[in-house]
Amino acid sequence: MNLDLVSSSRCFDGTQRVYSHKSETLKCDMRFAVYLPPAAVTHSVPAVFWLSGLTCTEQNFITKAGAQRAASALGIAIIAPDTSPRGADVPNDDAYDFGQGAGFYVDATQEPWSKNYRMYSYIVDELRELVASQFAVDAKRFGISGHSMGGHGALTIGLRNPSLFRTISAFSPISAPTQCPWGEKALTGYLGDDRAQWAKFDATQLFAEKGWSGPEILVDQGEADEFLESQLKPDLLVEAAARGDVELRLRRRAGYDHSYFFISTFIASHLEHHARHLLA
C-alpha cells in the first residue's frame, strides 16, 4: 500500500501523523490520521478507530478533542479517518448533511453514489487492514468510537463486526437513523426506498438482531444538545438495548451541547474504557 505522509508532529512523546492514500474501495484519494503513543516504539499497541460527524474531516478530532494526552499515557493508538470520499470526480450535494462530508458509514447502492460512497467497507476492510499492516498496532485489540454521525458509524460497525472491534463507545450518536431526518435522508439517498436495507445501518435494530457479547457499550449524551430530540433520540437506544439484552451505559451530561467542547471534556474516560478492556 502506497502511503504519503502529509504531516507529522511530536505530541506527548508520541507522534501525530496524517497520511493520504489511493483508496481502492472509494475510488479516490483519502486521508486519515494516526496517533502513535511512545509505547509503539517498542511493541504493538491497541488502537481505537474514531469516526467523526457531519461536515468533519480527520482534522476535527486530532485538533479539537485533546485525546493525545490520554492516549499517550494509556499506550493506545488512535486512527481517525475522513468522513466520506472527496474530490472533483466524486458526486456531491449542496446540503451539509448529504454527499461529501456526510458518508454516513454505509455502502451506497444507488447511483451516482454507489461507485464511491462505501465508507462501511472502507473502515471495516481496507483501512483496518492497511493500519494493521503498516503501523505498530495489534489487530486483535481494536476498538471503535465516534461522534454524532460517527457515533452511529461506531455503533453499527462495532455491532456487526464483534470479531474485529472488541470495544465500542460513542458521543451523541444518531441512535436510530431510520427514525430521524438526518438518517432518513441519507439512507434513502444512498440505499433507496427499501427500509429492509436500512436496518443493518441502525443500531437500535442491530441490538435485537446481532446483540453484543463484549464489554458494556459506553455512550455520552449532552442534555443541552440542540439535536437531542429531533435527530439523536438516545431513549430509543436505551429501549433497544434493554430488548436485546445488551449492556449499555448511557451517561447524560447536564449542560453539555453537541460540540467538541463536550467531546474534549470526556474523551479521556472513553479512552480509559477502551484501554481497560483492550489491555486486559
Side-chain angles (χ1 to χ4, degrees), residues 99-275:
Q100 294 185 32
F104 253 83
Y105 305 101
V106 303
D107 281 352
T109 59
Q110 303 299 299
E111 296 295 337
W113 316 103
S114 57
K115 176 182 176 181
N116 305 102
Y117 284 75
R118 298 178 51 80
M119 286 299 295
Y120 175 87
S121 289
Y122 175 70
I123 301 297
V124 172
D125 297 321
E126 185 176 10
L127 183 62
R128 181 185 57 82
E129 292 173 3
L130 185 159
V131 167
S133 66
Q134 298 294 316
F135 302 100
V137 297
D138 183 348
K140 295 182 179 180
R141 294 187 292 165
F142 282 169
I144 192 163
S145 185
H147 171 234
S148 193
M149 177 184 73
H152 138 77
L155 289 169
T156 55
I157 288 173
L159 290 167
R160 291 177 60 182
N161 298 276
S163 65
L164 303 180
F165 299 97
R166 291 171 48 184
T167 53
I168 304 173
S169 77
F171 286 82
S172 314
I174 301 173
S175 298
T178 61
Q179 301 180 62
C180 74
W182 277 342
E184 290 177 333
K185 177 179 180 177
L187 296 177
T188 300
Y190 293 136
L191 303 178
D193 294 327
D194 183 1
R195 284 180 170 259
Q197 299 302 313
W198 298 9
K200 58 189 175 182
F201 297 109
D202 185 311
T204 62
Q205 298 191 44
L206 289 172
F207 276 161
E209 178 187 344
K210 298 289 187 180
W212 174 253
S213 59
E216 71 174 359
I217 296 171
L218 176 63
V219 174
D220 271 337
Q221 175 62 61
E223 292 188 333
D225 192 317
E226 60 269 41
F227 304 113
L228 179 61
E229 300 299 332
S230 61
Q231 303 284 7
L232 307 179
K233 303 180 184 292
D235 289 341
L236 296 180
L237 194 67
V238 173
E239 294 167 5
R243 290 195 304 271
D245 196 25
V246 172
E247 189 176 1
L248 170 71
R249 178 158 56 122
L250 175 65
R251 305 188 298 196
R252 302 177 190 271
R253 303 295 194 174
Y256 285 92
D257 59 19
H258 201 69
S259 72
Y260 265 84
F261 295 112
F262 171 48
I263 296 170
S264 66
T265 303
F266 300 108
I267 188 63
S269 68
H270 277 245
L271 295 179
E272 288 163 3
H273 166 78
H274 289 278

Side-chain angles (χ1 to χ4, degrees), residues 12-40:
F12 294 105
D13 293 328
T15 307
Q16 179 66 69
R17 297 172 181 165
V18 174
Y19 291 91
S20 67
H21 73 110
K22 180 69 175 179
S23 169
E24 295 297 326
T25 303
L26 304 180
K27 312 301 182 189
C28 67
D29 291 331
M30 287 294 288
R31 287 191 177 195
F32 65 95
V34 179
Y35 178 73
L36 293 174

